[in-house]
Amino acid sequence: MSLHQDKDERDLRAPIVSLSLGLPAVFLFGTPNRKDRTQRHRLVHGDVVVWGGASRLRYHGILPLTAGHHPQIGPWRINLTFRRAG
């Protein structure tokens, strides 16, 4: 998933919570300016990333996955993202 901001919610005070399952991935975490350099963080099965407050509108994304097989999930990565919608 390319760099993006999660900014469609009416109330941006609540954090974003992201749970990774299955294949590992590289999470890109930038700044509120899309053109700035991003940090790279390797995510593995069970990792949780939480960001909010001043970081809530930082650009973020995931690099393309490398093929593989997770013993519980198989050849996939599942991401569950939680945010306050209403």
Side-chain angles (χ1 to χ4, degrees):
M1 177 173 276
S2 64
L3 285 179
H4 66 281
Q5 292 175 309
D6 292 318
K7 60 182 180 180
D8 294 333
E9 298 85 14
R10 283 182 254 164
D11 184 355
L12 298 177
R13 292 178 294 174
I16 296 172
V17 179
S18 176
L19 169 63
S20 292
L21 301 171
L23 292 178
V26 177
F27 179 67
L28 303 174
F29 198 55
T31 71
N33 183 349
R34 185 184 180 99
K35 294 180 182 181
D36 289 345
R37 187 180 183 117
T38 59
Q39 299 172 349
R40 293 177 178 216
H41 302 277
R42 187 169 191 268
L43 301 177
V44 297
H45 182 80
D47 280 348
V48 176
V49 179
V50 179
W51 68 99
S55 296
R56 179 64 168 74
L57 291 178
R58 292 174 96 174
Y59 278 89
H60 57 282
I62 292 284
L63 289 179
L65 297 178
T66 300
H69 184 85
H70 187 274
Q72 294 166 317
I73 306 294
W76 301 283
R77 175 178 184 270
I78 298 170
N79 174 258
L80 302 173
T81 301
F82 303 92
R83 68 187 93 196
R84 179 177 287 162

